[in-house]
Amino acid sequence: QVRPVESGGGSVQAGGSLRLSCVLSGYTVPSFCMAWFRQSPGKEREAVAAIENDGKISYPEAVEGRFTISRDIATNLDLQMNNLKPEDTAMYYCAAEYSCFRGSLEGRAYAFWGRGTQVTGSS
């Protein structure tokens, strides 16, 4: 079993920045397909960034130019979030899969999920 563990969430004034981190533990392999998702009460879960096994990165339009996903080693994933807005407030989840056969921004592509870290952008 692979377990993602997130950290780095917090409350930040609108326009501020946060950096989230995710570390995979358990039965790991040299490469993963990984992504960050977010969800707030009453809303659908949505992807905010993904990085595939080969390093291909994808972002949805909502965060393009503000969020940056990066991976220093196969099991360590970061999300740099700049210019945070109130609508960015959500629980942020790290997701992983051994490989992505489906689109990397689709939640169904991932089997392993963390418990989440709360991000609040106040105005």
Side-chain angles (χ1 to χ4, degrees), residues 8-118:
S11 181
V12 179
Q13 184 178 355
S17 299
L18 282 174
R19 188 175 183 88
L20 306 183
S21 296
C22 173
V23 177
L24 301 183
S25 62
Y27 187 71
T28 60
V29 294
S31 69
F32 286 89
C33 183
M34 300 181 69
W36 289 96
F37 289 79
R38 67 185 181 188
Q39 187 170 26
S40 57
K43 295 184 177 181
E44 297 285 340
R45 179 183 61 192
E46 63 176 341
V48 296
I51 182 166
E52 300 179 30
N53 303 65
D54 62 358
K56 181 181 178 181
I57 293 172
S58 299
Y59 301 101
E61 186 176 354
V63 306
E64 187 73 44
R66 298 190 299 119
F67 290 9
T68 303
I69 190 171
S70 62
R71 179 166 58 199
D72 54 353
I73 62 175
T75 57
N76 289 11
L77 183 73
D78 289 343
L79 182 69
Q80 179 66 46
M81 303 184 294
N82 297 326
N83 192 24
L84 284 164
K85 303 176 180 180
E87 51 263 45
D88 295 320
T89 297
M91 284 290 292
Y92 282 69
Y93 299 90
C94 177
E97 182 55 89
Y98 292 116
S99 62
C100 288
F101 298 107
R102 299 177 180 270
S104 60
L105 294 177
E106 298 180 4
R108 59 184 177 177
Y110 302 93
F112 310 112
W113 293 80
R115 294 183 177 181
T117 185
Q118 179 69 39

